[in-house]
Amino acid sequence: MKPIHEYRSVFSLNLLGWLPGLALAALLATPPLRAADASSEAKPVFDETPAQHNMLMQWWRQARFGMFIHWGIYSVPAHAEWYMNNGHVPREKYEQYAKQFDPVKFNADQWAQIAANAGMKYLVITSKHHDGFSMFNSAVTDYNVVKATPWGKDPLKALSQACRRHGVRFAVYYSIMDWHSPYQAAAHPDDTHPTYNPTHFVPGKKDDYIRYMKAQLKELVTQYHPAILWFDGGWMHGWTDADGREIFRYLRSLDPRLIINNRARGCGDYGTPEQHIPANGLPGQDWETCMTINNSWGYNATDDHFKSARRLIRNLIDIASKGGNYLLNVGPTSLGQIPQPEVDRLEAMGAWLKTNGRAIYGTRPGPFTQQPAWGRVTAKADRLYLEVFDWPSDGKLQLPAVPNREVTAAFLLAHPHRSGVSVSQGSDSITVNVPAEAPDSIASVVVLELKPTAR
Ligand code: GLC
């Protein structure tokens, strides 16, 4: 099997994305383009003013934590979502998995509840992955979950409704590359051993594909009212920045409040670093790190490399301290269940957030240019939240002074009324004296209240 990392490594750079004016970076980072594509300009289209963009992104910036769900008929062979390509499965053979897809244990309320309990504020599910199978009711293809499976139900309908009941915003992923489309051709066609990635348009069929795609996007917007359109697969040959911008415009005409990620190319509301946390965030733009909870997006029966709850909680904190969102993925089985080890980890994250959520939601990065050695810092209004990973053995946390601010109060977020935290302030440093015992073995939050220094 072809290692997926091959694509990932190229692509993760590409995800730094639409950065206005950084056309060069985009060019360097984009997978091999044909000459015609390379010449197209990489200008972001924002019909809105920065103030309108801020309005649009308001809930998203507050949210900080979302659930990614990769679910499709690839859960039947259970080798994750690239199986059709990496296993070199011919189209007709792959189609048979639809006939075996019968997720009798699927319960939309349970999924939405798992997300809500984890403290996740939005959820992004694959409506169509690279394999081209539509996981929603689509009038423009029979290759969809309602018509082509024995199950015959529409999980996006159920999930979009359940999300509303549980206070989680509903959103969809959509792959531009389509290994099943009659309008796209495999990179290396072969009757028995095809390799699809990267596809290209069948000559003369690009317009047909765009028509199909627009029809599906309209169905998604009007049937499920997603808060975000999360594109992927824009590296297929023949898809251009100009195409991305046209799709962006089209979607905004259908729903002006729709947030759109940067992977349709040419523009986008936020950057999407994949499987890593940028060392300094992505200054000047909104961004969201998407990450697997083990090493796979789609369900992979052999992958038990689950990240620890400690790692995941600290990732969320690290991301928030750099001004980003964390989109953490789960890969449900063909029976329709989110694997228990994934649920366990999400529960642990939810428990931490229940006590410490105020240090994450709606925060901005702390004011310091360097991350402290003991942990991370987030800020909100006149508060600093110190997320302490390594509790000090000498009882002292050191911080640089905050220009024009002094500390008026300090306490543990887990025990706001218990004393035991005190502060001494020098002209260029702050020392926070904390109790011997860390309130939380994964990350303890110390709150500092600030006020402007009297002159
Ligand atoms: C990559 C992969 C895809 C996955 C996505 C998530 O683009 O091709 O399988 O859905 O990343 O970010």
Side-chain angles (χ1 to χ4, degrees):
M1 289 212 306
K2 205 167 193 179
I4 288 179
H5 319 273
E6 229 173 82
Y7 316 110
R8 296 261 158 79
S9 54
V10 186
F11 196 52
S12 49
L13 281 169
N14 186 27
L15 308 184
L16 297 178
W18 62 271
L19 263 184
L22 279 193
L24 180 64
L27 274 182
L28 287 175
T30 308
L33 295 175
R34 297 190 311 192
D37 299 335
S39 64
S40 65
E41 22 151 18
K43 245 194 272 150
V45 271
F46 286 124
D47 294 338
E48 69 264 28
T49 63
Q52 285 169 326
H53 181 70
N54 287 338
M55 281 283 280
L56 180 78
M57 297 304 286
Q58 214 172 14
W59 74 261
W60 189 94
R61 290 175 185 160
Q62 295 281 323
R64 285 291 174 253
F65 190 27
M67 175 183 271
F68 213 175
I69 304 180
H70 277 66
W71 197 40
I73 57 172
Y74 39 80
S75 59
V76 173
H79 299 294
E81 80 290 353
W82 272 73
Y83 180 62
M84 183 175 175
N85 182 78
N86 296 0
H88 308 284
V89 187
R91 279 179 183 162
E92 315 68 53
K93 196 166 165 213
Y94 190 84
E95 284 169 1
Q96 303 309 310
Y97 294 124
K99 301 194 177 131
Q100 297 167 50
F101 188 74
D102 193 14
V104 291
K105 299 259 171 77
F106 172 74
N107 179 332
D109 275 292
Q110 202 174 52
W111 287 16
Q113 182 79 64
I114 290 170
N117 287 350
M120 292 161 148
K121 305 295 187 193
Y122 60 109
L123 173 162
V124 183
I125 185 167
T126 46
S127 67
K128 185 194 81 167
H129 205 270
H130 309 331
D131 69 352
F133 188 76
S134 297
M135 288 294 287
F136 63 103
N137 195 11
S138 176
V140 294
T141 177
D142 286 347
Y143 196 49
N144 78 55
V145 62
V146 179
K147 300 204 184 77
T149 72
W151 189 50
K153 300 197 173 85
D154 180 349
L156 265 58
K157 186 94 224 165
L159 200 56
S160 59
Q161 292 168 348
C163 279
R164 267 161 212 124
R165 284 193 287 275
H166 294 273
V168 175
R169 286 190 202 245
F170 178 78
V172 292
Y173 163 112
Y174 190 90
S175 174
I176 294 166
M177 176 164 67
D178 188 324
W179 297 332
H180 186 270
S181 171
Y183 309 131
Q184 294 189 27
H188 303 289
D190 188 289
D191 285 349
T192 59
H193 202 257
T195 302
Y196 301 92
N197 182 70
T199 57
H200 55 270
F201 290 114
V202 171
K205 295 293 181 193
K206 179 170 171 176
D207 288 350
D208 289 327
Y209 182 71
I210 292 179
R211 210 168 298 124
Y212 171 80
M213 178 173 158
K214 281 185 166 174
Q216 286 213 314
L217 293 173
K218 189 170 190 175
E219 291 175 334
L220 289 169
V221 169
T222 55
Q223 292 168 193
Y224 316 106
H225 310 289
I228 303 168
L229 222 317
W230 208 104
F231 283 105
D232 195 18
W235 65 84
M236 68 159 296
H237 290 313
W239 185 262
T240 67
D241 291 354
D243 296 328
R245 287 194 289 271
E246 166 54 23
I247 288 297
F248 192 97
R249 247 179 247 120
Y250 174 68
L251 282 170
R252 277 287 164 78
S253 75
L254 295 177
D255 180 358
R257 284 170 315 170
L258 198 62
I259 293 176
I260 306 167
N261 77 340
N262 68 339
R263 293 197 191 177
R265 300 181 41 171
C267 58
D269 292 312
Y270 64 92
T272 52
E274 180 170 316
Q275 298 287 40
H276 76 283
I277 302 170
N280 302 305
L282 296 185
Q285 66 171 308
D286 291 299
W287 61 278
E288 170 199 70
T289 282
C290 54
M291 197 180 277
T292 51
I293 200 163
N294 49 5
N295 290 333
S296 314
W297 299 99
Y299 180 65
N300 179 347
T302 62
D303 182 356
D304 57 3
H305 293 100
F306 295 101
K307 295 174 181 72
S308 65
R310 162 186 296 249
R311 178 78 271 137
L312 297 167
I313 289 168
R314 290 185 176 185
N315 281 349
L316 174 62
I317 295 168
D318 188 25
I319 290 168
S321 79
K322 295 167 180 171
N325 282 11
Y326 197 21
L327 186 64
L328 183 59
N329 183 73
V330 297
T333 66
S334 61
L335 283 178
Q337 289 175 306
I338 301 179
Q340 194 56 41
E342 304 185 0
V343 177
D344 293 344
R345 281 152 180 84
L346 296 182
E347 275 176 5
M349 296 184 82
W352 187 87
L353 280 164
K354 212 164 176 205
T355 304
N356 301 293
R358 265 172 295 170
I360 301 295
Y361 303 120
T363 58
R364 54 181 195 277
F368 310 113
T369 45
Q370 271 190 345
Q371 304 277 15
W374 42 256
R376 296 291 180 263
V377 182
T378 52
K380 186 162 49 184
D382 269 337
R383 281 185 166 190
L384 293 188
Y385 295 93
L386 318 183
E387 292 95 9
V388 187
F389 298 164
D390 300 316
W391 198 250
S393 50
D394 65 354
K396 289 182 198 318
L397 297 169
Q398 303 291 350
L399 278 174
V402 185
N404 308 319
R405 290 285 184 286
E406 61 185 297
V407 180
T408 56
F411 56 91
L412 299 173
L413 188 53
H415 308 291
H417 304 297
R418 200 185 287 172
S419 58
V421 182
S422 65
V423 170
S424 38
Q425 301 176 74
S427 55
D428 52 7
S429 70
I430 301 172
T431 304
V432 185
N433 306 296
V434 294
E437 278 290 300
D440 192 298
S441 62
I442 294 177
S444 306
V445 179
V446 179
V447 184
L448 301 185
E449 284 184 344
L450 307 176
K451 70 162 204 226
T453 323
R455 289 178 183 240

